Amino acid sequence: MDIHPDIERVIVSEDKIQTRVVELAAQISQDYAGDGQLVIIGILKGAFIFLADLTRRLAVPHRIDFMSLSSYGQTATTTGAVRIIMDLRLDIESRHVLVIEDIIDSGYTLHYLLDVLRARRPASLKSCVLLSKPERRKVDVPVDYLGFEIPDVWVVGYGLDYADTHRTLSYIGALKREVYE
Ligand code: IMP
Ligand code: MG
């Protein structure tokens, strides 16, 4: 596998990602079997590739919608306030809802999002997150389906970015320090 020159090392290989996506899709399909139409919510932009691979492996009926969120920034506030940039088009009341996120770091984004969605009274609400940096958690958030725990390094690829670059690498890689310093 060719490694991009901005990448220090591979954190999760393409093979490992694909194997885990198949496992997660099988687990989700089993858990939601017979529940009717599931609503999958992808959080833009980071989750788009994970969502595309995962949903094509699902054996349960589902619809897909997207939301875009923006953090107010970690230095500006201690509350971890998050803003909705683009909201859902689907009404999720009385629906089984599964949120797909790329990575959980402090936990503020997912915590806020789950609060917002819960207020819309879905039949159930769960989360599926590709990556977690457990050392960085500031707020406790339930993750129902997790891909991988990773160390506290900035990662890109498979949808994740640094300044909107490197999203389409097929693996998850740690960025070289000189790229972001
Ligand atoms: P949290 O609110 O601190 O949990 O941050 C979650 C969001 O921060 C994710 O949805 C990503 O957009 C972004 N993020 C955190 N760590 C990384 C990383 O290593 N690479 C790319 N994006 C990240
Ligand atoms: Mg994100």
Side-chain angles (χ1 to χ4, degrees):
M1 179 171 57
D2 280 345
I3 302 298
H4 191 283
D6 287 353
I7 300 300
E8 176 80 50
R9 65 192 164 104
V10 174
I11 301 291
V12 190
S13 69
E14 180 174 5
D15 276 3
K16 280 196 175 148
I17 295 170
Q18 294 304 329
T19 300
R20 190 74 187 114
V21 166
V22 169
E23 289 172 358
L24 289 170
Q27 185 65 57
I28 292 165
S29 298
Q30 189 180 314
D31 293 353
Y32 287 93
D35 280 359
Q37 202 173 47
L38 173 64
V39 175
I40 304 275
I41 301 179
I43 307 307
L44 296 173
K45 303 176 193 173
F48 83 110
I49 294 178
F50 178 41
L51 178 139
D53 282 351
L54 186 80
T55 53
R56 285 180 295 171
R57 302 272 185 184
L58 288 180
V60 288
H62 58 275
R63 289 197 285 175
I64 294 168
D65 204 351
F66 294 97
M67 278 177 100
S68 179
L69 307 173
S70 164
S71 142
Y72 278 110
Q74 263 140 17
T75 49
T77 173
T78 52
T79 62
V82 178
R83 193 157 53 104
I84 296 176
I85 300 295
M86 187 190 85
D87 206 339
L88 298 176
R89 296 178 70 172
L90 294 178
D91 180 1
I92 61 166
E93 187 171 348
S94 305
R95 297 287 182 185
H96 293 287
V97 173
L98 180 63
V99 173
I100 310 289
E101 176 61 309
D102 54 356
I103 185 167
I104 178 167
D105 185 47
S106 68
Y108 287 137
T109 305
L110 194 58
H111 183 265
Y112 167 84
L113 181 66
L114 293 175
D115 274 355
V116 166
L117 296 177
R118 203 175 292 110
R120 300 179 187 181
R121 300 152 56 85
S124 70
L125 179 60
K126 289 207 228 175
S127 65
C128 174
V129 182
L130 180 66
L131 304 171
S132 171
K133 294 178 185 172
E135 296 161 54
R136 301 257 313 164
R137 202 76 81 252
K138 293 260 173 47
V139 56
D140 201 29
V141 193
V143 175
D144 300 285
Y145 305 96
L146 177 66
F148 304 93
E149 289 195 343
I150 61 165
D152 179 14
V153 290
W154 193 266
V155 291
V156 295
Y158 201 67
L160 291 96
D161 73 307
Y162 168 69
D164 237 359
T165 63
H166 302 310
R167 283 193 201 278
T168 55
L169 296 176
S170 56
Y171 52 89
I172 306 284
L175 211 55
K176 282 181 182 162
R177 202 160 260 287
E178 67 244 39
V179 177
Y180 58 86
E181 270 177 359

